[in-house]
Amino acid sequence: MQQSDSQRIVITGVGLTAPGASSLDQFRANLLAGKSGITTLDLRYMGVHPAGICTFDETRYRKKRENKRGSRAGCISVYCANEALEDAGITFEEYDRSTTGVYLGLTEHGTVETENEVYNISKFDYNVDYWTHHHNPRTVLNNPAGEVTMNLGITGPHYTIGAACAAGNAALIQGAQMLRLGEVDFALCGGISECVGSFGIFASFKSQGALAEHPDPIRASRPFDMERNGIVISEGGCVFTLERLDSALQRGAKIYGELAGYAMNSDARDFVLPYGPRQQQCMEMALKRAGMDAGDITIVNTHATGTRQGDVEECSAIRKTFAGCTSTYINNTKSSIGHAMGAAGVLELAGNLPSFTDHYVHPTINLDQLDPDCAMQGLVSGEPQKLARVDAVLNNSFGMLGINSVVVVKSFVAG
């Protein structure tokens, strides 16, 4: 069924910070070059481990004292939101701030701040008089989205979406739905991760046997490889500007792509172990809602994190969904930037959006010896694959407690 231009949702701006990059152009260049953004982090109680750290201009859009009062997640969010607006050419002469929505996905929030405060008062015999009075506004779940609204004067709705590592995709879906319902006229949507500040997250993955180790940090994140041994934890953020197509065309906006379909479902099985059959169902639902067949997808960006079972389950689901699709190519972005948790889905989608214009499929790196259980037709590794055209990208993003999200973005075609 053909949708009206008021129901078609397009991406018109991208703002991001990822390990090794602080703009989409830089991020894309790194991905095509197979350049890893992973370094090491010496975190208290944990020692030195591979991690993805972001470097960006933290005071470009707000002052140092505002960053100090807010949270690291808020700092990343404000930077990404402003970058997205600048990229889209939005100055709020085009839209009313009261009908603008801010929807950001998070895996968790408040852990870093709480750990820091407990550590701080340990220096004063745990006297809570030394606990910061900024703690509550820093740790409420809506903090990153709320900091964006305060920075930009947005008075429309804001909230964060807790969907584990599917959260970035979930926030993008939420923004599209709110636009289609007419609840907002313009949306800032994305995902944020500040996870590298939490020793608890590192310690938990290590206790599960799921924290990546390697003497060379840039080789630590290695989905599908026989020698993979876990997740590289990363921080990062990505925010998209979403608009209804009629509004975007009216103002002459550049369009990165059209949000064609999406789906979310639940495994309802285990706290941490993924389940391929439910992931397959989620991909099939997204394709159905997009009105597309599996063969219409040019690029599948995998969620694969470098864990043993996680990679195998997803690869099984992809093989079944895309069986016989000889013109579908598969890649992985985490091999280059690690796992950015709540930001993973949107960062990985952003990294693939330029393929609509440059026609390259960026490679999976660190894939020296493919696990036979992860073998997939069309898997791109080592070097980028040049295509004649790229029509659609399907982006997988899955999370703990069995939450799955899939987003399909297609090349924009007028009419």
Side-chain angles (χ1 to χ4, degrees):
M1 180 178 175
Q2 183 68 33
Q3 290 181 323
S4 68
D5 286 357
S6 64
Q7 287 292 294
R8 295 171 67 183
I9 307 301
V10 292
I11 298 170
T12 58
V14 182
L16 65 80
T17 181
S22 58
S23 69
L24 179 57
D25 287 346
Q26 186 179 19
F27 186 32
R28 180 64 173 177
N30 288 349
L31 291 174
L32 290 178
K35 182 180 178 181
S36 173
I38 302 303
T39 181
T40 56
L41 175 67
D42 189 354
L43 188 64
R44 66 172 174 263
Y45 308 135
M46 288 299 302
V48 178
H49 286 276
I53 312 299
C54 293
T55 302
F56 60 98
D57 187 351
E58 298 179 16
T59 56
R60 182 174 182 182
Y61 298 108
R62 68 178 188 179
K63 296 177 181 178
K64 186 175 181 179
R65 67 171 180 270
E66 294 172 312
N67 284 332
K68 188 175 180 180
R69 180 174 181 178
S71 65
R72 175 65 172 176
C75 179
I76 293 171
S77 301
V78 167
Y79 176 82
C80 292
N82 277 279
E83 288 283 290
L85 290 170
E86 185 173 306
D87 184 45
I90 295 290
T91 62
F92 287 109
E93 293 179 359
E94 305 84 358
Y95 291 104
D96 193 321
R97 285 178 168 85
S98 68
T99 57
T100 294
V102 180
Y103 311 104
L104 298 180
L106 296 173
T107 295
E108 54 79 36
H109 182 67
T111 305
V112 172
E113 290 77 11
T114 302
E115 289 178 0
N116 287 343
E117 288 306 308
V118 171
Y119 179 77
N120 288 341
I121 66 170
S122 74
K123 305 298 183 183
F124 300 95
D125 197 27
Y126 294 97
N127 183 344
V128 296
D129 289 342
Y130 291 93
W131 191 280
T132 178
H133 63 280
H134 297 311
H135 182 74
N136 286 350
R138 283 176 179 164
T139 57
V140 290
L141 191 59
N142 64 308
N143 167 274
E147 289 198 34
V148 169
T149 63
M150 290 190 294
N151 177 260
L152 291 167
I154 292 171
T155 57
H158 84 267
Y159 46 88
T160 55
I161 298 172
C165 300
N169 273 0
L172 186 60
I173 293 168
Q174 182 69 23
Q177 291 173 335
M178 292 297 99
L179 284 165
R180 283 178 171 151
L181 287 170
E183 295 292 325
V184 295
D185 294 325
F186 177 61
L188 288 162
C189 310
I192 307 298
S193 170
E194 60 176 352
C195 292
V196 296
S198 171
F199 64 82
I201 291 174
F202 278 81
S204 182
F205 277 119
K206 187 170 185 177
S207 70
Q208 294 170 20
L211 185 65
E213 300 283 356
H214 199 284
D216 183 354
I218 67 173
R219 296 178 59 77
S221 186
R222 44 196 321 112
F224 312 137
D225 190 80
M226 285 292 291
E227 299 301 318
R228 68 190 186 279
N229 59 14
I231 293 168
V232 172
I233 298 170
S234 297
E235 68 176 350
C238 178
V239 173
F240 296 127
T241 58
L242 291 190
E243 300 180 64
R244 300 186 191 98
L245 177 58
D246 55 354
S247 299
L249 291 176
Q250 185 176 5
R251 72 176 191 87
K254 70 177 177 186
I255 295 175
Y256 282 98
E258 179 177 354
L259 186 57
Y262 46 76
M264 296 187 70
N265 69 358
S266 303
D267 294 344
R269 289 172 60 92
D270 192 90
F271 279 87
V272 296
L273 298 179
Y275 186 53
R278 207 72 71 220
Q279 295 173 356
Q280 180 184 348
Q281 289 177 358
C282 197
M283 286 186 279
E284 290 172 348
M285 283 193 295
L287 289 168
K288 182 177 180 181
R289 289 174 181 170
M292 301 169 74
D293 297 322
D296 296 326
I297 300 298
T298 312
I299 299 173
V300 176
N301 183 84
T302 58
H303 174 75
T305 63
T307 61
R308 290 287 172 186
Q309 182 172 345
D311 290 8
V312 171
E313 290 289 318
E314 183 181 9
C315 290
S316 175
I318 290 171
R319 284 195 298 267
K320 292 173 182 177
T321 304
F322 294 93
C325 298
T326 57
S327 59
T328 297
Y329 297 83
I330 298 165
N331 65 4
N332 179 273
T333 308
K334 290 184 181 71
S335 60
S336 295
I337 64 168
H339 191 357
M341 309 294 175
V346 281
L347 269 176
E348 292 163 22
L349 176 59
N352 281 280
L353 284 180
S355 65
F356 291 133
T357 52
D358 67 26
H359 301 163
Y360 277 103
V361 185
H362 82 70
T364 307
I365 66 170
N366 296 330
L367 185 47
D368 299 328
Q369 186 178 358
L370 177 65
D371 182 344
D373 290 332
C374 296
M376 295 175 287
Q377 179 177 273
L379 179 60
V380 178
S381 67
E383 298 292 332
Q385 178 78 48
K386 178 71 171 181
L387 306 180
R389 56 187 287 175
V390 173
D391 295 323
V393 174
L394 182 142
N395 187 53
N396 283 340
S397 200
F398 311 131
M400 288 186 179
L401 298 165
I403 187 164
N404 306 311
S405 68
V406 177
V407 166
V408 177
V409 176
K410 65 183 182 181
S411 178
F412 171 68
V413 178

